[in-house]
């Protein structure tokens, strides 16, 4: 080989080496980010910023939702599919929104209101003083679709709740809200009747509870779990493991149904792809609040890219977004150009970066307070649209729910006591103080723990997780960030206490129904930490908080109940379990010829009230 | 000849079995997430998870699982079931998405063959001219740019809604999905065809050029010219005919690869083809679908390789040994 | 994208056989390369790029640009939208407020490092396999060739994606040996690439071992190892250089494609392909985010392709 070739070779080798060394440094560099000025004060009435911004949008339709013209067909673009079409199994609000058009449960939420409307029930539930008995009267004459040719009876609601406890259905809400029923199974298992559900006649249902938690049980009747299921029809499907009711076969009581054949086989449902919804021919308007303007809905799943879907919807005809939101960064332009086609309502929930309180370093409350105090929550909120799309969350009960005002509203609890929450831009001095109180004299974390952070890779959660990692690094922590799919994040990491994840930045919680218990009990009660599908991400188990929560569950009168939950709220927030950063609004878009009405509970377009402009 | 074909067929079959084995190892043995846990829904208890494991056959030893899988694939074309979309058979998902990929591939092939081959022939004929140098230069650029970047740039310039030079009749992102009549779908495919064909056209033009140049130096070409055959006929009938053999070989391989799904192009333009299916499955961690698409892709490659080998043997008897 | 370049190398060897002059083929190769101005310019650019990659922190500091990992919420609009090129941010910012200019500069590190290392590994493995298969033939050859066939049967990108996805769980692959991120990408690319080298080397070795100088060495009593190292390997250097130069740009694009599809290097590390991927959702408003990394890729790969072209021409001038 010639000398010049050798020289070239050597040079190349040297270059390899230099590059390798150089690049090994670049992966770990995390440096100062822009920390906001500490003098920033808490904004007042945070929600009004969004209301102002969306004035003149389709949200205004909530003032007169019954105005509409019958007829037309709409195509809905959604990202994922429903989790289940079985009202007994379904868990997520996206599917619940669809259920409300197909079925009549005991109670439902009309658009623009978080007061449950009696739907299948004839009136509000009667809760006994001790909270152990709940009585509901049903309407007469509500008919099922083919092939079940009869009216709904209370026995059907009883069966619906009983099957929710079986292993083949395994409803996530059943043990939480109906677990106190007399005779309710402890573990999911084979079907067995529940003593505590009594049907003295076809139009009456009585729930008998072992504890005084009747208020929650009554509230939970707004969930699809109370949608009646005819036992004689569903039994054979419920014998399968898991039950095949809903996937292939179902009957309907609402103005709409999934396109089915005479046996009730849902031919219009292609799992993972589309749902074809048509009018229910057996439906008779029995005191129903639903105007049901549109004739046909075609739900198409698989629209992974929210930006593309939004563009198609806004530029097209008779299209609506399902659960996708217009990307926050484009909202500025969209609000200028296409406001009447957008809508936003409070999401009824909070977003949080949870800190694992069961292990070092976050088992020390001073460290937790130090992190929250120094964290720039504005930067993280900005990834979801900033101030325009929601206020900084100061506690666990979102605006609109009972107990919100009692918890101090947008400002939160007493500033002197809860000083670490007062600066959403981050207060480095206060943070340093808390670190010192924890024993770190330098004012930053000095310990050896490497934080495992597991987040959702998809935007905006991915960027939020990256920002979180950076801010933690600035506070002196060593970090390891892993971004995975949302499913994996939940099923393998954040919902599994044993996985030992320190920080879960992509978690949030929305109301199951309009009661503060749904925001605090599953998520902060020390008694609710199962081995899998754990929603108490901080693994909080504080005796004072647990006590306050259990006490609040037993309140039945609305006033005292709201106050009791505010007290529980305070006990939880005092434990600094995580960085709650937003009570966000859910925004939606629809085509110019669509008069969209957004439901305040499901936060999706309300299929019963939406219509086409003439 | 027949013996050659039979030998190759058997070899191909064996290859396919080995490929299935490797795919199985990669996607069933390697990954760390328990598939039963992924399918168990929101409130998985130990019993439910155990039941799902039995359902999916995960409790059997790996070898049994593999044998079941392979027999399923080859006898019933059962590629398993998706983790995500309600246990939909993977084969169904792939067949649903195959037409879009076929359309994309077919159009691109036609485009790059016409453009690439003509440029290549012209460049060879006008050897060392400005046209020649320009074509080499342009093809180098086309080959150097990332396909998806070219796609994004073309969308930026030509997308009807919001493109800088917005041209009405071209479809934008996601246009293929909405377009119902064939005409609209074809419209939506024009941009993806051009982008996909660009780098291939570059390669094929250089390939054709090189091959033709080599052939043109051969003796029989000189003979034909000496016999008084017109230059045009010499080039087309004698030159191109021989020069096209390597092109056919490579074409077969490229088609095989593209039939597995042009992931990058399909993702950028939102064309619901097999590549897009694979990509979505990867984002969702839906291993059976990934496994299925990889397997199907490999099948296409092996089969097309086989076809090309047979064709080559037909054209050139020396290869059959 | 398969390119049938085997005919070129055979032509090279035929040409070499006919050489009678005293100059060695390699010296001629070098001389011809030096005359190719375009290739030399491209080579110069590559050297420049390598310097940029090594000196990235210096360049970023000189331009007064921000650290590539530094997120800056004030660079975004109130709604979180990215801002474009300005005096402070030459190439604008991305959706986290990070400086695109800095990220493009640091992105060179990832692209070059991945491409060079993975190509190096692939060439090493491929040469080893090809040598063994071509020299010893028999069952060794059959086994190794079938192995090569199996790997070549897979759709490249899908296989890479699948492997990377399977190893992207928190624990990585092979019991944590291969961590997600850079190591996975390098491994995946190397696994895909060694087959091309193996095929070519095997073909080379098959014809080389029949040559007179090998027979001569054997008749003198040289061992297999001596023959391989002294007679065969040196003749492989030139084609190996040429093929490496063809593989490197392909691997740069492959790494970028893997990052684009979301299974490349880790979250925060700047990678040109990853940046283009992030730009997709913000596009077409935030065009700067997509343009600059793409241009960087284009120019880099073009330079490598030009050098590769020059090398091929130098090796066999009959091509043109």
């Amino acid at each position: 080989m010639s000398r010049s070739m050798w020289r070239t070779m050597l040079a190349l080798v040297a270059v390899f080496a230099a590059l390798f060394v150089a690049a090994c440094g670049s992966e770990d560099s995390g440096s100062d980010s822009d920390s906001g000025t500490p003098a920033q004060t808490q904004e007042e009435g945070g929600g009004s910023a969004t209301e102002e911004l969306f004035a003149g949008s389709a949200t205004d339709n909530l003032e007169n939702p019954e105005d509409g013209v019958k007829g037309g067909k709409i195509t809905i673009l959604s990202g994922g599919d429903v989790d289940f079409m079985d009202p007994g199994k379904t868990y997520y609000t996206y599917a619940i929104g669809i259920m409300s058009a197909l079925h009549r449960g005991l109670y439902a939420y009309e658009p623009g209101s978080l007061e449950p409307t009696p739907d299948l029930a004839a009136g509000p539930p009667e809760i006994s003083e001790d909270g152990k008995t709940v009585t509901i009267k049903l309407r007469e004459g509500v008919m099922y679709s083919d092939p079940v040719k009869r009216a709904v009876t209370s026995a059907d609601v009883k069966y619906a709740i009983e099957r929710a406890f079986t292993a083949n259905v395994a409803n996530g809400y059943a043990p939480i809200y109906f677990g106190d029923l007399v005779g309710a199974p402890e573990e999911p298992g084979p079907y067995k009747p529940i003593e505590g559900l009594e049907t003295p006649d076809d139009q009456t249902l009585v729930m008998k509870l072992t504890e005084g938690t009747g208020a929650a049980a009554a509230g939970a009747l707004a969930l699809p779990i109370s949608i009646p299921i005819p036992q004689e029809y569903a039994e054979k499907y419920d014998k399968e493991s898991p039950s095949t009711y809903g996937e292939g076969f179902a009957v309907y009581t609402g103005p709409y149904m999934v396109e089915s054949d005479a046996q009730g086989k849902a031919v219009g449902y292609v799992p993972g792809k589309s749902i074809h919804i048509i009018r229910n021919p057996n439906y008779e308007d029995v005191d129903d609040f639903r105007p049901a303007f549109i004739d046909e809905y075609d739900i198409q799943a698989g629209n992974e890219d929210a930006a593309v879907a939004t563009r198609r919807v806004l530029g097209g005809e008779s299209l609506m977004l399902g659960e996708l939101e217009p990307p926050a960064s484009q909202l500025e332009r969209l609000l200028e150009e296409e406001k009447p086609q957008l809508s936003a309502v409070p999401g009824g929930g909070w977003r949080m970066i949870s800190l694992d309180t069961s292990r070092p370093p976050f088992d020390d409350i001073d460290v937790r307070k130090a992190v929250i105090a120094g964290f720039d929550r504005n930067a993280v909120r900005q990834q979801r649209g900033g101030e325009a799309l929601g206020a900084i969350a100061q506690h666990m009960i979102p605006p609109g729910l009972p107990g919100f005002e009692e918890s101090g509203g947008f400002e939160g609890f007493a500033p002197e006591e809860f000083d670490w929450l007062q600066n959403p831009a981050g207060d480095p001095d206060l943070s340093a103080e808390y670190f010192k109180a924890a024993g770190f004299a330098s004012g930053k974390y000095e310990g050896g723990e490497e934080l495992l952070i597991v987040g959702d890779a998809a935007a905006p959660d991915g960027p939020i997780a990256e920002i979180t990692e950076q801010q933690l690094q600035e506070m002196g922590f060593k970090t390891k960030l892993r971004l995975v799919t949302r499913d994996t994040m939940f099923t393998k990491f954040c919902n599994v206490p044993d996985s030992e994840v320190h920080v879960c930045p992509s978690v949030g919680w929305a109301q199951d129904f309009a009661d503060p218990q749904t925001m605090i009990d599953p998520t902060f009660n020390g008694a609710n930490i199962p081995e899998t599908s754990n929603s108490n991400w901080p693994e909080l188990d504080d005796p004072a908080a647990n006590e306050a929560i259990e006490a609040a569950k037993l309140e039945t009168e609305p006033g005292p109940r709201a106050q009791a939950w505010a007290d529980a709220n305070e006990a939880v927030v005092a434990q600094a379990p995580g960085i709650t950063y937003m009570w966000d609004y859910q925004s939606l878009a629809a085509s110019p010829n669509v008069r969209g009405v957004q439901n305040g509970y499901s936060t999706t377009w309300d299929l019963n009230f939406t219509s086409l402009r003439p | 000849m027949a013996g050659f074909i039979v030998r190759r067929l058997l070899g191909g079959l064996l290859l396919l079995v080995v490929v299935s084995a490797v795919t199985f190892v990669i996607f069933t043995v390697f990954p760390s997430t328990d598939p039963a846990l992924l399918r168990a829904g929101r409130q998985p208890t130990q019993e439910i998870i155990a039941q799902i494991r039995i359902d999916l056959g995960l409790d059997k030893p790996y070898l049994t699982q593999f044998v079941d899988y392979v027999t399923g694939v080859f006898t019933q074309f059962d590629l398993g079931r998706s983790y995500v979309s309600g246990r939909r058979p993977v084969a169904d998902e792939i067949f649903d998405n195959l037409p879009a990929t076929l359309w994309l591939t077919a159009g691109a092939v036609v485009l790059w063959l016409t453009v690439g081959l003509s440029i290549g022939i012209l460049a060879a004929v006008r050897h060392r001219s400005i046209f020649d140098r320009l074509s080499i230069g342009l093809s180098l650029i086309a080959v150097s740019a990332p396909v998806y970047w070219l796609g994004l740039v073309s969308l930026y310039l030509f997308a009807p809604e919001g493109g800088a030079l917005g041209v009405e009749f071209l479809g934008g992102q996601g246009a293929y999905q909405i377009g119902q009549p064939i005409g609209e779908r074809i419209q939506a495919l024009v941009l993806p065809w051009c982008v996909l064909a660009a780098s291939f056209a570059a390669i094929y033009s250089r390939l054709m050029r090189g091959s033709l140049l080599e052939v043109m130096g051969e003796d029989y070409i000189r003979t034909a010219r000496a016999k008084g055959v017109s230059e045009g006929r010499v080039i087309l009938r004698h030159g191109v005919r021989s020069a096209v053999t390597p092109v056919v070989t490579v074409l077969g391989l490229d088609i095989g690869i593209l039939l597995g799904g042009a992931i990058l192009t399909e993702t950028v333009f939102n064309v619901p083809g097999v590549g897009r299916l694979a990509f979505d499955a990867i984002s969702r961690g839906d291993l059976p679908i990934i496994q299925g698409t990889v397997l199907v892709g490999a099948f296409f490659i092996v089969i097309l390789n086989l076809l090309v080998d047979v064709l080559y043997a037909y054209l050139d008897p020396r290869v059959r040994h | 994208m398969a390119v049938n370049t085997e005919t070129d190398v055979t032509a090279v060897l035929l040409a070499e056989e006919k050489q009678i002059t005293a100059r060695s083929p390699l010296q001629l190769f070098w001389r011809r390369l030096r005359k190719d101005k375009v290739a030399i310019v491209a080579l110069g650019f590559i050297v420049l790029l390598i310097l940029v990659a090594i000196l990235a922190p210096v360049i970023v500091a000189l331009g007064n640009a921000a650290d590539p990992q530094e997120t800056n919420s004030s660079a975004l609009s109130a709604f979180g939208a990215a801002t474009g090129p300005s005096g402070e941010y030459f190439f604008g910012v991305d959706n986290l407020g990070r400086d695109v200019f800095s990220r493009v500069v640091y992105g060179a590190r990832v692209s070059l490092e991945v491409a060079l290392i993975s190509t190096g590994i692939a060439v090493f493995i491929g040469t080893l396999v090809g040598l063994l298969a071509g020299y010893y033939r028999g069952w060794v050859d059959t086994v190794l060739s079938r192995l090569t066939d199996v790997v070549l049967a897979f759709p490249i990108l899908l296989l890479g994606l699948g492997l990377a996805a399977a190893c992207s769980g928190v624990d990585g692959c092979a019991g944590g040996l291969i961590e997600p991120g850079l190591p996975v990408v390098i491994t995946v690319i190397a696994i895909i690439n060694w087959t091309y080298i193996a095929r070519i080397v095997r073909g080379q070795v098959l014809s080389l071992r029949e040559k007179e100088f090998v027979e001569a060495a054997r008749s003198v009593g040289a061992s297999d190892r001596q023959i391989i190292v002294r007679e065969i390997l040196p003749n492989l250097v030139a084609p190996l250089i040429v093929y490496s130069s063809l593989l490197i740009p392909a691997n740069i694009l492959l790494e970028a494609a893997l990052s684009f599809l979301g299974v490349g290097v880790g979250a925060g590390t700047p990678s040109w392909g990853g940046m283009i991927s992030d730009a997709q959702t913000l596009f077409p408003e935030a065009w700067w985010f997509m343009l600059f990394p793409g241009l960087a890729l284009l120019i880099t790969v073009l330079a490598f392709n030009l050098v590769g072209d020059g090398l091929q021409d130098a090796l066999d001038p009959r091509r043109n």
Side-chain angles (χ1 to χ4, degrees), chain B residues 6-69:
Chain B
V6 168
R7 254 179 290 133
R8 292 317 231 124
L9 264 176
L10 286 177
L13 207 58
L14 187 61
L15 188 57
L16 287 179
V17 172
V18 175
V19 161
S20 320
V22 177
T23 319
F24 179 80
V25 166
I26 296 178
F27 292 108
T28 311
V29 178
F30 268 10
S32 25
T33 318
D34 185 0
L37 196 55
L38 277 181
R39 301 273 246 94
R42 250 263 151 173
Q43 297 284 99
T45 61
Q46 290 304 108
E47 293 84 19
I48 295 181
I49 297 178
Q51 184 59 46
I52 295 184
R53 297 204 97 225
I54 298 179
D55 258 359
L56 291 177
L58 295 172
D59 54 330
K60 308 196 197 118
Y62 278 134
L63 195 58
T64 323
Q65 283 186 51
F66 171 62
V67 172
D68 286 344
Y69 180 71

Side-chain angles (χ1 to χ4, degrees), chain C residues 158-242:
Chain C
L158 259 184
L159 181 64
L161 271 183
L163 275 173
C167 293
S168 287
V170 175
D171 312 315
C173 262
L177 198 64
I178 305 177
E179 287 253 308
L182 208 60
V184 168
V185 175
I186 292 181
T187 313
V188 165
I189 296 182
I191 290 180
I192 291 172
N193 273 302
W194 67 263
T195 49
Y196 303 118
I197 301 281
R199 272 246 173 113
I200 291 168
V201 167
R202 174 180 175 275
Q204 291 280 290
V205 172
L206 275 179
S207 49
L208 274 176
R209 79 203 282 286
E210 309 304 328
K211 295 251 180 289
E212 297 93 18
F213 54 86
V214 169
E215 261 192 61
R218 235 186 257 130
S219 63
V220 178
S223 72
D224 278 339
R225 209 177 54 115
Q226 283 171 316
I227 296 182
I228 290 180
V229 171
R230 274 196 240 141
E231 311 293 342
I232 298 193
L233 261 184
N235 285 296
L236 287 177
V237 169
L240 274 182
I241 291 181
V242 172

